[in-house]
Every structure is written in C-alpha cells, then in structure tokens.
Amino acid sequence: MTRIKGLTLVEMMIAMLLVLIASAGALALVARGRAAQRTGEAVATLEEITDAAFAILVEELRMAGYLGLAAPGSPVIGASAFGTAEARDLVVTGGCGQSLAHDLDTTVTAADGAYRVAAAVPLRCGAGPNGRVVPGADTLTVWHASAAAAPLDAGRLQIESNLRAARLMTDGVARLGAGARVHDLEVSVFYISADSSAQRGWPSLRRKRLVGGSRPAFQDEELVTGVEDMQVEFGLDNLDDDDSSVDRWVTPAEVPALDTPRAIRLWIRARSDTPENPPIILPALGYSNRVEPPGSSRFRRKLSSRVIELRNLQGRP
C-alpha cells in the first residue's frame, strides 16, 4: 500500500511567508500607483485652474480701454470719476461705490494687497460669498466696451460711439446718428475670495461684474475655484527713451500718477483639491512683492505668470 506524504508544518509556514511577502509587495505597488495617480490628478488640476484663470483675465486686459468706434482715451459724455455722483439717468446699483462703472478716464487699475479699486479707493460692496478675502491678494479692475456691437437695451449701461464722440446711456435710445455703434459697457473687479460658493475655506477667483436688467447693477460671480493668490505688476516705459517697450515693472502702489502702463504682468497661485499622503514639502516662493516661506502641506500648489500687452493705450502712440 502506497503511503501519501503531506506538507510539514515548516513547509506550510514557509509557503505562507512567501505569500505574505508577495502580497506586501503587490500592496506596496498598488499604494505607489495610487499615490502617483493622485499626484498626476493634482498636477492636472493645477494646470486647469491656472489656465482657466488666465483665459478670463487675459481676454479682459486685452480689451481694456476699448471704446467702440471712438479712439481710446476719448472723452465719454456721462463719464464721471469714481466717488463722484452719477448722473440721475445713469445710476448703477450694487453698492460698490458711486461712479465705479463710469470712471472711463481709467483703463485698468489695481490695489496692492487689498480689496479696493485703488490704494485710496475702497470697494463698498462686500466680497462673496461670505465677505472674506485672501489677505495680501491684489484686486484688479478693468473697463472697456464689449468686443461686439450690442442691440439697444434699456436697463443696461451702454456706450454709443462714432469716430468723433462717445456717450453713456441706459435708456436704449441712440442719439449720435447714422454710422454710430452701440456696445455694452463691461466693468469687472477681480479679487480672491477666501471661500467658494460650495465650500467655506476653499479660495476662489471672483469678480464684481456690471450687468443689466431692469437697471444697471454690479453682481458678484464666482469664476475659478482653487485660486489662492493674484498679484499684479504694471510694465512702464521710460518717457525719455525713443522706444515704446517696457523698461521696468512696478507694483500698483508704485505707478506714477501721470504714467501710462504698457503691459500687465499677472501672477496666479493655485492650490490643488487632491490631498497628498504623506504631506509634501513646499518650496519657498518669491514673486512680485510677495514671499511665501517653505512649509509642508497636503495640497500641491502652482505659481504661473503671464504678460499681457495693453492694446488700447491712452495718450501715447
């Protein structure tokens, strides 16, 4: 009779050990794969955030100062300086401040590290959605006519223009005669909120935007979540040289009163929404007049910049 031999206890323990080692290796590979996937998702998210923010801001800045058929810098009938009373038929609601929409002597302005139109010009309307802004982030305000001509629209602030004149109106009645063209007036105040509409504590790029309706008003809207800082620099040309190129970059607080910026440099810092485990070491960042020290975080960040030439310059060729 044949006797069948089984596995000894030692052989079974060795087999189990080999299985455990193989399983541990497989789990480690899976963990590394998931970590790599999370990192890839975070990097892709950061690219999407910065690209989306720049797509909006760059287009607005390229249009800054455009007045339809009228030359950039032309006087606009009905325009008034920020802080002064608006004409009765041109009143804009929304509480952001008198004549914010009407200050068409200005093309683009910024406030250095503050929720303001300019250093001495506060915004009267609160930040959305919870009234909190990111400390130290700049605020950018841009004025221009819409790129395309618009139909007459009573209840919206519009610019009627021809080659000789331009005027503001809200009644939907054209008065400059044949050959004139009507555009919607576009005014946007861009800022960084400490919150987003869906999540408190998650930063977002937002703006106060001039809209129409029964009457013109500023309305708050969320543009891109995950943007945690925006810095603005103005490119200036020395008046005593022969070229028109940018010679130096300055912060909004350093722009001379009579100087005309040639370009804008924007810095956007984004934060991913995909947590890392373990936390990653973030390097120090220096940009514009900001310095961010190194540190550890569960969220990656990305800093990007773009230079935008201002096309509709006032007063200089």
Side-chain angles (χ1 to χ4, degrees), residues 14-56:
I14 292 174
M16 293 176 62
L17 179 61
L18 292 175
V19 170
L20 289 174
I21 292 173
S23 299
L27 290 174
L29 287 174
V30 170
R32 284 197 293 269
R34 288 181 176 175
Q37 182 182 12
R38 284 195 298 269
T39 299
E41 290 175 352
V43 171
T45 298
L46 291 172
E47 291 287 347
E48 291 172 359
I49 291 171
T50 54
D51 286 350
F54 281 126
I56 296 168

Coordinates of all heavy atoms in Angstrom, one line a residue, residues 14-56:
I14 N 6.7 28.3 5.6 CA 7.5 29.0 4.6 C 6.6 29.4 3.4 O 6.8 30.5 2.9 CB 8.6 28.0 4.1 CG1 9.6 27.8 5.2 CG2 9.3 28.5 2.8 CD1 10.6 26.7 4.9
A15 N 5.6 28.6 3.0 CA 4.7 28.9 1.9 C 3.9 30.2 2.3 O 3.7 31.1 1.5 CB 3.8 27.8 1.6
M16 N 3.4 30.2 3.5 CA 2.6 31.3 4.0 C 3.4 32.6 4.0 O 3.0 33.7 3.6 CB 2.0 31.1 5.3 CG 0.9 30.0 5.4 SD 0.3 29.6 7.0 CE -0.4 31.2 7.5
L17 N 4.7 32.5 4.4 CA 5.6 33.6 4.4 C 5.8 34.2 3.0 O 5.8 35.4 2.8 CB 6.9 33.2 5.1 CG 8.0 34.4 5.2 CD1 7.5 35.5 6.0 CD2 9.3 33.8 5.8
L18 N 6.0 33.3 2.1 CA 6.2 33.7 0.7 C 5.0 34.4 0.1 O 5.1 35.4 -0.6 CB 6.6 32.5 -0.2 CG 8.0 31.8 0.1 CD1 8.1 30.6 -0.7 CD2 9.1 32.8 -0.2
V19 N 3.8 33.9 0.5 CA 2.6 34.5 0.0 C 2.4 35.9 0.7 O 2.1 36.9 0.0 CB 1.4 33.6 0.4 CG1 0.0 34.4 0.2 CG2 1.4 32.4 -0.4
L20 N 2.8 36.0 1.9 CA 2.7 37.3 2.6 C 3.7 38.3 2.0 O 3.3 39.5 1.8 CB 3.0 37.2 4.1 CG 1.9 36.5 4.9 CD1 2.3 36.3 6.4 CD2 0.6 37.3 4.9
I21 N 4.9 37.9 1.7 CA 5.9 38.8 1.1 C 5.4 39.2 -0.3 O 5.4 40.4 -0.6 CB 7.2 38.1 0.9 CG1 7.8 37.8 2.3 CG2 8.2 38.9 0.1 CD1 9.1 37.0 2.3
A22 N 4.8 38.3 -1.1 CA 4.3 38.7 -2.4 C 3.1 39.6 -2.3 O 3.0 40.6 -3.0 CB 3.9 37.4 -3.2
S23 N 2.2 39.4 -1.3 CA 1.1 40.3 -1.1 C 1.5 41.7 -0.7 O 1.0 42.7 -1.2 CB 0.1 39.7 -0.1 OG -0.3 38.4 -0.5
A24 N 2.5 41.7 0.2 CA 3.0 43.0 0.7 C 3.6 43.8 -0.5 O 3.4 45.0 -0.6 CB 4.1 42.8 1.8
G25 N 4.4 43.1 -1.3 CA 4.9 43.8 -2.5 C 3.9 44.3 -3.4 O 4.0 45.4 -4.0
A26 N 2.8 43.5 -3.6 CA 1.8 43.9 -4.5 C 1.0 45.1 -3.9 O 0.7 46.0 -4.7 CB 0.8 42.7 -4.7
L27 N 0.8 45.1 -2.6 CA 0.1 46.2 -2.0 C 0.9 47.5 -2.0 O 0.4 48.6 -2.2 CB -0.2 45.9 -0.5 CG -1.3 44.8 -0.3 CD1 -1.4 44.5 1.2 CD2 -2.7 45.3 -0.8
A28 N 2.3 47.3 -1.9 CA 3.1 48.5 -2.0 C 3.1 49.1 -3.4 O 3.1 50.3 -3.6 CB 4.6 48.1 -1.6
L29 N 3.1 48.2 -4.4 CA 3.0 48.7 -5.8 C 1.6 49.4 -6.0 O 1.6 50.4 -6.7 CB 3.1 47.5 -6.7 CG 4.5 46.9 -6.9 CD1 4.5 45.6 -7.8 CD2 5.5 47.9 -7.5
V30 N 0.6 48.8 -5.5 CA -0.7 49.5 -5.6 C -0.8 50.8 -4.9 O -1.3 51.8 -5.5 CB -1.9 48.6 -5.0 CG1 -3.2 49.3 -5.0 CG2 -2.0 47.3 -5.9
A31 N -0.2 50.9 -3.7 CA -0.1 52.2 -3.0 C 0.7 53.2 -3.8 O 0.3 54.4 -3.9 CB 0.5 52.0 -1.6
R32 N 1.8 52.8 -4.3 CA 2.6 53.7 -5.1 C 1.9 54.2 -6.3 O 2.0 55.3 -6.8 CB 4.0 53.1 -5.4 CG 5.0 53.0 -4.3 CD 6.4 52.8 -4.8 NE 6.5 51.5 -5.3 CZ 6.9 50.4 -4.6 NH1 7.2 50.5 -3.3 NH2 7.1 49.2 -5.2
G33 N 1.2 53.2 -6.9 CA 0.4 53.6 -8.1 C -0.7 54.6 -7.8 O -0.9 55.5 -8.6
R34 N -1.4 54.4 -6.7 CA -2.4 55.3 -6.3 C -1.8 56.7 -5.9 O -2.4 57.7 -6.3 CB -3.2 54.8 -5.1 CG -4.1 53.6 -5.4 CD -4.8 53.1 -4.2 NE -5.8 52.0 -4.5 CZ -6.5 51.4 -3.6 NH1 -6.3 51.6 -2.3 NH2 -7.3 50.4 -4.0
A35 N -0.7 56.7 -5.3 CA 0.0 58.0 -5.0 C 0.4 58.7 -6.2 O 0.2 59.9 -6.4 CB 1.2 57.7 -4.1
A36 N 0.9 57.9 -7.2 CA 1.3 58.6 -8.5 C 0.0 59.1 -9.2 O 0.1 60.2 -9.8 CB 2.0 57.5 -9.4
Q37 N -1.1 58.4 -9.1 CA -2.3 58.8 -9.7 C -2.8 60.1 -9.1 O -3.2 61.0 -9.8 CB -3.4 57.7 -9.6 CG -4.7 58.1 -10.3 CD -5.8 57.1 -10.1 OE1 -5.6 56.1 -9.3 NE2 -6.8 57.2 -10.8
R38 N -2.8 60.1 -7.7 CA -3.2 61.4 -7.0 C -2.3 62.5 -7.4 O -2.8 63.7 -7.6 CB -3.2 61.1 -5.5 CG -4.3 60.3 -5.0 CD -4.4 60.4 -3.5 NE -3.2 59.9 -2.8 CZ -3.1 58.7 -2.4 NH1 -4.0 57.8 -2.6 NH2 -2.0 58.3 -1.8
T39 N -1.0 62.3 -7.5 CA -0.1 63.4 -7.9 C -0.4 63.9 -9.3 O -0.4 65.1 -9.5 CB 1.4 62.9 -7.8 OG1 1.7 62.5 -6.5 CG2 2.3 64.0 -8.3
G40 N -0.6 62.9 -10.2 CA -1.0 63.3 -11.6 C -2.3 64.1 -11.6 O -2.4 65.1 -12.4
E41 N -3.3 63.7 -10.8 CA -4.5 64.4 -10.8 C -4.3 65.8 -10.2 O -4.9 66.8 -10.7 CB -5.5 63.6 -9.9 CG -6.0 62.3 -10.5 CD -6.9 61.6 -9.6 OE1 -7.0 62.0 -8.4 OE2 -7.5 60.6 -10.0
A42 N -3.5 65.9 -9.2 CA -3.2 67.2 -8.6 C -2.6 68.2 -9.6 O -2.9 69.3 -9.7 CB -2.4 67.1 -7.3
V43 N -1.5 67.6 -10.3 CA -0.8 68.5 -11.3 C -1.8 68.9 -12.4 O -1.8 70.1 -12.8 CB 0.4 67.7 -11.8 CG1 1.0 68.4 -13.0 CG2 1.4 67.5 -10.7
A44 N -2.6 68.0 -12.9 CA -3.5 68.3 -13.9 C -4.6 69.3 -13.5 O -4.9 70.3 -14.2 CB -4.3 67.0 -14.4
T45 N -5.0 69.2 -12.2 CA -6.0 70.2 -11.7 C -5.4 71.5 -11.6 O -6.0 72.5 -11.9 CB -6.4 69.7 -10.3 OG1 -7.1 68.5 -10.4 CG2 -7.4 70.7 -9.6
L46 N -4.1 71.6 -11.2 CA -3.4 72.9 -11.1 C -3.3 73.6 -12.4 O -3.5 74.8 -12.6 CB -2.1 72.7 -10.4 CG -2.1 72.4 -8.9 CD1 -0.6 72.0 -8.5 CD2 -2.6 73.5 -8.1
E47 N -3.0 72.8 -13.4 CA -2.9 73.3 -14.8 C -4.2 73.9 -15.3 O -4.3 74.9 -15.9 CB -2.4 72.2 -15.8 CG -1.0 71.8 -15.6 CD 0.0 72.8 -16.1 OE1 -0.4 73.8 -16.8 OE2 1.2 72.7 -15.7
E48 N -5.3 73.1 -15.0 CA -6.6 73.5 -15.4 C -7.0 74.8 -14.7 O -7.6 75.7 -15.3 CB -7.6 72.4 -15.1 CG -7.5 71.2 -15.9 CD -8.4 70.1 -15.5 OE1 -9.1 70.2 -14.5 OE2 -8.4 69.0 -16.1
I49 N -6.7 74.9 -13.4 CA -7.1 76.1 -12.6 C -6.4 77.4 -13.2 O -7.0 78.4 -13.4 CB -6.7 75.9 -11.1 CG1 -7.6 74.9 -10.5 CG2 -6.8 77.3 -10.4 CD1 -7.2 74.5 -9.1
T50 N -5.1 77.3 -13.3 CA -4.3 78.4 -13.8 C -4.7 78.8 -15.3 O -4.9 80.0 -15.6 CB -2.8 78.2 -13.7 OG1 -2.5 77.0 -14.4 CG2 -2.4 78.1 -12.3
D51 N -4.9 77.8 -16.1 CA -5.3 78.1 -17.5 C -6.7 78.8 -17.5 O -6.9 79.7 -18.3 CB -5.4 76.8 -18.3 CG -4.0 76.2 -18.7 OD1 -3.0 77.0 -18.4 OD2 -3.9 75.1 -19.1
A52 N -7.6 78.3 -16.7 CA -8.9 78.9 -16.7 C -8.9 80.3 -16.2 O -9.6 81.2 -16.8 CB -9.9 78.1 -15.8
A53 N -8.1 80.6 -15.2 CA -8.0 81.9 -14.6 C -7.4 82.9 -15.7 O -7.9 84.0 -15.9 CB -7.2 81.9 -13.3
F54 N -6.3 82.5 -16.3 CA -5.6 83.3 -17.3 C -6.5 83.5 -18.5 O -6.5 84.6 -19.1 CB -4.3 82.7 -17.7 CG -3.2 83.0 -16.7 CD1 -2.4 81.9 -16.2 CD2 -2.9 84.2 -16.3 CE1 -1.4 82.1 -15.3 CE2 -1.9 84.5 -15.4 CZ -1.1 83.4 -14.9
A55 N -7.3 82.5 -18.9 CA -8.2 82.7 -20.1 C -9.1 83.8 -19.9 O -9.4 84.6 -20.8 CB -8.9 81.4 -20.3
I56 N -9.7 84.0 -18.7 CA -10.6 85.1 -18.4 C -9.9 86.4 -18.2 O -10.2 87.4 -18.9 CB -11.4 84.7 -17.1 CG1 -12.2 83.5 -17.3 CG2 -12.2 85.9 -16.6 CD1 -12.8 82.9 -16.0

